[in-house]
C-alpha cells in the first residue's frame, strides 16, 4: 500500500469512527487498529495527532457530501424534486450508519466547537458549502438571492436535525416528514 493510499485509509477509517462514536470516544490506537496501519503511519501522515486527523476528516467528509449533494441536486431540474431526492438518499442509507453522510460533521461540531477553533471553522465551512448548494439550486429556479440563501440555511439545518433525530430514534420518520414538507417550505 502506497503512502497516499495509507493516508487515505487512515482518514476514511477515522471519519467513520468519528461518525459512529464521536471525537472524544475515538482514540488513535483504535484508528490504527481498524485501519490496519502501522502506528508510525499515523504520526508520519498526521504529525499533529488526533486534532489534525479530525480536521482532515471533516474536510474529507465535507467534500464527499458536497459531491453527493451536487449529484443529487443536478439530477432533477425541479428544485422540490431535487431536494426531496436529497432527503430520500438519506432515508435509503439510514440503516447503514457508516454510509450516512453529514452526521460526522454535526457530531464533531458539537463535541469540539468550544475546544478547537480550527475544527469549529472547518465544520462551519462544510455547513456553509452545503447551504450554498441548496441556495444555488433555488437561484437557478428563479428565487431571489437573499431568499435562496435563507432557504439554504433553513434546509441544511432542518436536514441536519431530521437526520440526527432519525439516527437517534433508529427511525426514518423525521426524514420522511421533512421530504413531505419540502413543497411547503420552498416558496419564493
Amino acid at each position: 500500500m502506497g503512502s497516499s493510499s495509507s493516508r487515505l485509509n487512515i482518514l476514511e477509517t477515522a471519519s467513520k469512527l468519528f461518525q459512529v462514536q464521536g471525537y472524544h470516544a475515538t482514540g488513535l490506537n483504535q484508528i490504527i487498529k481498524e485501519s490496519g496501519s502501522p502506528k508510525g503511519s499515523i504520526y508520519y501522515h498526521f504529525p499533529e495527532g488526533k486534532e489534525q486527523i479530525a480536521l482532515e476528516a471533516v474536510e474529507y467528509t465535507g467534500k464527499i457530501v458536497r459531491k453527493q449533494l451536487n449529484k443529487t441536486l443536478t439530477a432533477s431540474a425541479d428544485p422540490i424534486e431535487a431536494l426531496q431526492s436529497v432527503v430520500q438518499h438519506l432515508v435509503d442509507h439510514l440503516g447503514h450508519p457508516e454510509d450516512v453522510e453529514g452526521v460526522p460533521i454535526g457530531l464533531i461540531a458539537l463535541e469540539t466547537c468550544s475546544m478547537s477553533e480550527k475544527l469549529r471553522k472547518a465544520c462551519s465551512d462544510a455547513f456553509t458549502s452545503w447551504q450554498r448548494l441548496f441556495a444555488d439550486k433555488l437561484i437557478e429556479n428563479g428565487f431571489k438571492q437573499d431568499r435562496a440563501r435563507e432557504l439554504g440555511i433553513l434546509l441544511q439545518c432542518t436536514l441536519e436535525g431530521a437526520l440526527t433525530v432519525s439516527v437517534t430514534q433508529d427511525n426514518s420518520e423525521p426524514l420522511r416528514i421533512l421530504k413531505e414538507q419540502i413543497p411547503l417550505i420552498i416558496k419564493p
Side-chain angles (χ1 to χ4, degrees):
M1 186 178 277
S3 180
S4 64
S5 61
S6 173
R7 186 177 205 291
L8 182 59
N9 184 42
I10 293 168
L11 196 54
E12 288 174 343
T13 301
S15 295
K16 287 179 183 178
L17 289 171
F18 289 138
Q19 174 184 9
V20 174
Q21 302 174 172
Y23 179 82
H24 296 297
T26 301
L28 291 179
N29 288 332
Q30 184 181 18
I31 295 169
I32 291 165
K33 180 181 176 189
E34 294 202 20
S35 70
S37 301
K39 195 169 196 167
S41 308
I42 285 231
Y43 300 106
Y44 174 77
H45 294 298
F46 304 96
E48 296 173 37
K50 185 175 172 180
E51 184 180 26
Q52 181 184 2
I53 295 171
L55 180 64
E56 291 191 34
V58 166
E59 291 167 353
Y60 173 78
T61 302
K63 288 176 188 173
I64 290 172
V65 173
R66 219 173 10 261
K67 183 177 177 182
Q68 181 60 48
L69 281 175
N70 192 46
K71 178 181 173 186
T72 307
L73 288 170
T74 58
S76 174
D78 179 76
I80 290 173
E81 286 177 17
L83 291 164
Q84 287 176 321
S85 292
V86 167
V87 178
Q88 186 60 50
H89 175 78
L90 293 171
V91 168
D92 294 343
H93 289 85
L94 191 60
H96 310 282
E98 69 278 0
D99 293 334
V100 180
E101 293 112 353
V103 174
I105 292 176
L107 189 53
I108 288 176
L110 288 173
E111 282 189 287
T112 64
C113 67
S114 64
M115 65 173 244
S116 171
E117 179 59 20
K118 287 180 187 177
L119 282 169
R120 187 206 60 77
K121 176 85 169 82
C123 293
S124 175
D125 290 348
F127 288 145
T128 300
S129 73
W130 303 341
Q131 293 165 5
R132 208 172 300 123
L133 284 174
F134 293 138
D136 289 347
K137 182 66 176 182
L138 296 172
I139 290 168
E140 284 174 18
N141 285 274
F143 283 72
K144 293 186 189 256
Q145 191 164 358
D146 287 344
R147 178 69 177 146
R149 186 186 73 74
E150 289 173 353
L151 287 171
I153 292 169
L154 176 65
L155 287 164
Q156 188 271 318
C157 292
T158 306
L159 187 60
E160 186 82 21
L163 180 58
T164 300
V165 173
S166 289
V167 168
T168 303
Q169 294 179 347
D170 193 22
N171 178 335
S172 64
E173 184 179 26
L175 286 167
R176 286 186 285 112
I177 290 170
L178 172 59
K179 181 181 172 186
E180 292 170 12
Q181 297 301 314
I182 284 176
L184 300 174
I185 297 170
I186 306 303
K187 294 187 178 195

